[in-house]
Amino acid sequence: MDGKTILSVDDLVIKFRLRGRILTAIRGASLEFYEGESLAIVGESGSGKTVLTKSFMGLLDKNGWVDSGQIIYKGKNIAGYKSEKEWLTIRGKEIAMVFQEPMTSLNPLKSIG
């Protein structure tokens, strides 16, 4: 691709601890986001779309973690971020997400800018 890579995900594995068991939610996901590109992530309900994108912002539920792989943003592996302080350096300022229900995520009286 000719454009600049904005975010790169390489062989990402995300797991959750649930009822004493460890479940793999994302297994070996890899993708790249390029400047000026639109990317759609589609799949059935429960296929891991939200889990994948939440991992880009450190918003996994407390029982979830990035087990292996990388999320490279501005040359840093943000998958290794552990503290809320680290995540707050990018969350909402540089990386954000509009969740599926637009009426609860967006104010219809304000423009997106």
Side-chain angles (χ1 to χ4, degrees):
M1 184 98 196
D2 295 281
K4 176 183 170 192
T5 302
I6 299 201
L7 186 119
S8 176
V9 178
D10 184 41
D11 203 23
L12 194 66
V13 176
I14 299 174
K15 296 186 177 184
F16 287 86
R17 184 176 310 279
L18 188 64
R19 296 184 194 110
R21 296 179 54 203
I22 295 177
L23 305 173
T24 303
I26 303 291
R27 187 175 287 115
S30 297
L31 50 90
E32 291 183 335
F33 293 95
Y34 294 96
E35 188 175 280
E37 176 183 60
S38 294
L39 178 70
I41 301 173
V42 297
E44 294 180 21
S45 179
S47 65
K49 303 176 301 288
T50 301
V51 168
L52 177 65
T53 54
K54 280 183 167 185
S55 73
F56 304 160
M57 297 179 293
L59 292 176
L60 293 174
D61 293 341
K62 292 196 185 303
N63 64 330
W65 69 93
V66 173
D67 193 61
S68 63
Q70 299 183 76
I71 304 169
I72 305 297
Y73 177 69
K74 290 189 172 179
K76 294 180 184 173
N77 183 12
I78 62 174
Y81 282 10
K82 300 294 181 207
S83 72
E84 187 68 9
K85 184 178 178 181
E86 287 175 302
W87 283 111
L88 287 175
T89 63
I90 60 170
R91 186 189 309 134
K93 296 175 181 80
E94 299 181 31
I95 297 177
M97 181 163 126
V98 176
F99 290 92
Q100 191 167 351
E101 292 297 325
M103 292 310 289
T104 59
S105 300
L106 302 173
N107 181 339
L109 301 177
K110 294 187 177 185
S111 63
I112 298 174

